[in-house]
């Protein structure tokens, strides 16, 4: 069954969501644009998301991208994560790719890498990601096979979309009117049952006890382990990170770490471990290298990085920093 929805941003002003609810099935809300800067948050995002939550209007979000490389895409992903962490969203997190002066000037291969970097960072935290662009962009710029891995939201203001690829939503008008909104608003059709997909899958801050969030091969950081998959007694591990090698669906502690380093569950896992990389840095300062990729350079963060990478008693010595810098240049620095 096709669902009817809108997408909104600060340009729709103060919305009477009580009235709007009578006329739509869902909403997609802009959370912001560009890198992780509070000045680039959409000033109406929190109000719109809070109102949709209060009134039980299914919603998703989108971020307008200006990314020109993978590093900027990662910052944009972090922008979304900061804003959506407290919301359950029954529709995807969309990456809005349409800026001709920034992203649009990159090669199609780079645009694919940008999109993949953004999506994988969101997916690491359990979010369901989609890609938004015009029909023209999907035909001419978003040609990487990467885009076939994500649901698509295609914009074309016409009686027919006329797109040969798979898609989940069609933005068919930019001049719609809905009671409760004083301006024109974008109108959309949704063809996939996103609430069922997302809620049953445990994405977007929904939880499903029968769905495991992590997979075999994931490297994770954790604060306790358990002796068995059903044990209730947490133990202090001899190290706080490891690789998931086995999953027992439905178990109290479904993930085995390594061969016999203990079992963990979603509650004791703090995060997936990602790897930092600065292959183009040519200096000799670990702090400057972190700064070059816009990572936290504080002593506490460097200590955390050191511990994750096998240095237990980090003092900030030249030898320790050289060791961490080499891992960073190789793209092997756990974070």
């Amino acid at each position: 069954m096709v669902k009817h929805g809108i997408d909104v941003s600060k340009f729709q002003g103060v919305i009477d969501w009580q009235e709007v609810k009578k006329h739509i099935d869902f909403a997609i809300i802009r959370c912001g644009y560009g890198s992780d800067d509070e000045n680039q948050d959409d000033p109406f995002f929190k109000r719109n998301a809070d109102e949709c939550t209060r009134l039980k209007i299914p919603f998703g979000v989108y971020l307008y991208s200006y990314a020109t490389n993978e590093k900027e895409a990662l910052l944009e992903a972090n922008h979304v994560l900061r804003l959506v962490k407290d919301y359950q969203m029954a529709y995807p997190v969309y990456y809005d790719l349409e800026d001709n002066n920034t992203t649009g000037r990159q090669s199609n291969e780079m645009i694919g890498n940008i999109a993949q970097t953004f999506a994988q960072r969101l997916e690491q935290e359990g979010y369901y990601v989609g890609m938004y662009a015009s029909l023209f962009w999907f035909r001419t710029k978003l040609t990487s096979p990467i885009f076939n891995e994500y649901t698509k939201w295609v914009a074309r203001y016409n009686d027919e979309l006329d797109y040969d690829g798979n898609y989940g939503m069609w933005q068919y008008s930019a001049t719609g009117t809905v009671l409760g909104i004083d301006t024109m608003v974008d109108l959309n059709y949704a063809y996939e049952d996103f609430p069922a997909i997302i809620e049953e899958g445990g994405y977007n801050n929904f939880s499903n006890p029968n769905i495991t969030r992590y997979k075999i091969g994931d490297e994770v950081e954790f604060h306790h382990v358990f002796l068995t998959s059903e044990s209730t007694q947490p133990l202090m591990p001899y190290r706080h990170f490891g690789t998931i090698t086995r999953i027992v669906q439905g178990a109290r502690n479904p993930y085995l770490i390594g061969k016999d380093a203990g079992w963990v569950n979603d509650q004791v896992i703090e995060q997936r471990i990602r790897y930092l990389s600065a292959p183009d840095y040519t200096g000799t300062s670990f702090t400057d290298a972190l700064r070059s990729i816009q990572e936290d350079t504080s002593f506490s963060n460097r200590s955390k990085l050191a511990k994750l990478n096998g240095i237990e008693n980090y003092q900030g010595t030249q030898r320790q920093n050289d060791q961490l810098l080499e891992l960073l240049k190789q793209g092997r620095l756990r974070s």
Side-chain angles (χ1 to χ4, degrees), residues 248-321:
V248 178
Q249 296 286 352
R252 184 186 298 273
N253 315 305
Y255 312 110
L256 176 64
I257 300 298
K259 291 184 178 180
D260 57 1
W263 295 77
V264 296
N265 55 43
D266 289 344
Q267 288 67 49
V268 302
I269 293 178
E270 295 182 347
Q271 63 176 343
R272 274 191 189 88
I273 293 174
R274 61 190 179 104
Y275 286 87
L276 300 181
S277 177
D280 299 327
Y281 179 73
T282 58
T284 59
S285 168
F286 178 52
T287 301
D288 287 347
L290 288 175
R291 188 178 294 113
S292 75
I293 58 172
Q294 301 184 42
E295 286 291 329
D296 182 2
T297 62
S298 67
F299 184 83
S300 61
N301 187 55
R302 283 182 283 133
S303 297
K304 176 188 174 183
L305 293 174
K307 189 172 183 179
L308 279 172
N309 289 275
I311 300 175
E312 290 295 332
N313 186 26
Y314 180 74
Q315 301 294 324
T317 67
Q318 187 64 50
R319 182 178 179 181
Q320 290 173 330
N321 285 336

Side-chain angles (χ1 to χ4, degrees), residues 10 40 67 103 127 134 146 182 239 258 263 279 301:
K10 71 175 184 178
Q40 297 185 154
T103 313
Y127 291 94
S134 67
I146 287 167
D182 294 333
R239 69 176 187 174
W263 295 77
N301 187 55

Side-chain angles (χ1 to χ4, degrees), residues 67-70 103 106-116:
T68 61
N69 54 50
E70 294 98 325
T103 313
Q106 312 312 308
S107 69
N108 286 13
E109 180 182 5
M110 175 55 73
I111 296 174
N113 293 342
I114 287 169
Q116 187 173 53

Side-chain angles (χ1 to χ4, degrees), residues 4 6 35 54 79 87 130 134 164 186 189 219 224 255 272 284 286 293 299 328:
H4 300 262
I6 57 175
S35 297
R54 179 179 70 86
H79 192 175
Y87 297 103
S134 67
D164 294 333
D186 297 338
Y189 295 131
E219 290 191 66
H224 285 89
Y255 312 110
R272 274 191 189 88
T284 59
F286 178 52
I293 58 172
F299 184 83
L328 181 61

